[in-house]
Amino acid sequence: MYSNTAFPDLADRVLPFEGVLNFRDMGGYRTEDGRRVKYGILFRAAELTGMTEKDKELFRSLGVKTIFDYRGAQEASAKPDPVFEGVTNIHLPAIAQEVPADVREMIKLHMKEMANGSFLDTMYLDMAFGNPSFKRLMEAVTDANGLGLLQHCAGGRDRTGVGSAFILLALGVPRETIIEDYLISNRTLAPMNESMKEQLAAHLPAEQVEQFVAGLELRRETMLAVFSAIDERYGSVEAFLEQEFGLDAEKRKQFQDRCLEAV
């Protein structure tokens, strides 16, 4: 569909951008009622600031109406989103504290948690509930005119991974499928991880570099922990969606009917 030769098995999902990593179409996934998510209406990506002119042409062809940016103020200021005519830019950080722009600062703050594998688990559970950013996301995407939405953060994997999971849950996509979608970022962000390793090697012992990069690898257990927390707090996905985002059965049906198609 998108002719991405770098990921031939994901050619219908990973778009061939030159200066943007992890730009993916969320369409094509089967839902529990036997339908599937339409292509070309929901997208996810890493930061957009590196778009080339060719990338901008590709982006304009996608029909995106809204860019939803989860990054903090410092991140967004350092690497601003491009502005396109007719496209609304929404910026609402998904994490309360600023994410350090310098990777070395992140290491100083979180090396211990990364070493024992708890860093991402803690971060996801902290941001998954009562989060104004995800509330605004779900308002935007379930609006009758809200399709053609791109959500992104820095790598398009953590904050964007949780936001994507909530959208797919609302559409009735099975949890295992959502986890598989989440884990794709381990492949699509491999160039970024290699670059990070090279940068860190100049400042840190090899063992610490490996610990840090290993701590950033996405694991299915991390998303499973979010789903388990939803079950424990709310008893069901339906109750979670209604109490967190105001998506009652009728609103979910309307959203699904707009986004899903018969197979």
Side-chain angles (χ1 to χ4, degrees):
M1 182 177 178
Y2 296 113
S3 302
N4 192 319
T5 56
F7 298 97
D9 60 320
L10 297 173
D12 61 344
R13 186 163 308 289
V14 180
L15 282 77
F17 279 81
E18 297 175 331
V20 182
L21 292 174
N22 207 13
F23 200 121
R24 287 147 57 189
D25 194 317
M26 294 171 61
Y29 289 126
R30 296 289 186 99
T31 56
E32 292 170 347
D33 67 1
R35 291 182 288 178
R36 72 179 175 192
V37 182
K38 295 176 182 176
Y39 284 103
I41 59 172
L42 297 165
F43 302 93
R44 53 180 295 176
E47 62 194 21
L48 308 177
T49 195
M51 275 193 185
T52 64
E53 288 305 312
K54 185 176 179 181
D55 287 342
K56 291 177 181 179
E57 290 180 18
L58 174 56
F59 181 86
R60 292 187 186 99
S61 75
L62 298 176
V64 173
K65 298 177 183 177
T66 302
I67 297 174
F68 197 104
D69 183 358
Y70 295 113
R71 297 174 301 165
Q74 292 179 14
E75 291 176 281
S77 176
K79 296 182 177 181
D81 280 347
V83 176
F84 293 92
E85 184 177 354
V87 177
T88 299
N89 289 69
I90 300 175
H91 175 231
L92 190 57
I95 300 176
Q97 69 273 24
E98 282 289 342
V99 176
D102 190 325
V103 175
R104 287 169 293 176
E105 285 299 313
M106 186 180 290
I107 290 175
K108 291 177 185 176
L109 290 171
H110 302 296
M111 180 55 84
K112 183 177 180 181
E113 295 98 320
M114 286 184 169
N116 64 29
S118 66
F119 173 64
L120 292 182
D121 293 358
T122 300
M123 182 176 76
Y124 282 34
L125 292 175
D126 284 347
M127 68 174 164
F129 303 100
N131 192 324
S133 184
F134 294 132
K135 290 180 188 297
R136 182 69 183 90
L137 169 76
M138 298 303 284
E139 288 174 4
V141 79
T142 58
D143 183 274
N145 299 308
L147 297 181
L149 182 139
L150 165 67
Q151 44 167 337
H152 82 93
C153 50
R157 37 162 281 160
D158 298 313
R159 291 164 284 190
T160 303
V162 174
S164 297
F166 292 166
I167 290 173
L168 294 175
L169 280 176
L171 290 175
V173 174
R175 295 183 183 192
E176 185 58 31
T177 303
I178 294 171
I179 292 171
E180 292 302 319
D181 176 70
Y182 166 69
L183 294 175
I184 290 172
S185 292
N186 281 333
R187 294 175 58 192
T188 52
L189 293 176
M192 184 179 77
N193 293 337
E194 285 302 313
S195 176
M196 189 182 302
K197 286 173 71 172
E198 291 175 9
Q199 294 175 43
L200 295 177
H203 305 282
L204 294 170
E207 183 180 352
Q208 285 192 358
V209 172
E210 290 300 326
Q211 278 186 342
F212 180 78
V213 174
L216 287 177
E217 183 174 356
L218 301 183
R219 302 174 304 121
R220 66 177 55 248
E221 291 80 10
T222 305
M223 192 57 72
L224 281 172
V226 173
F227 294 152
S228 293
I230 288 173
D231 293 339
E232 290 170 9
R233 296 186 187 208
Y234 291 96
S236 68
V237 168
E238 292 75 18
F240 165 72
L241 293 169
E242 182 166 359
Q243 293 177 46
E244 283 279 338
F245 309 121
L247 291 181
D248 58 21
E250 180 58 30
K251 289 181 180 177
R252 286 199 311 279
K253 181 181 184 305
Q254 291 172 1
F255 179 46
Q256 291 174 358
D257 288 346
R258 284 194 293 272
C259 295
L260 303 181
E261 62 187 3
V263 179

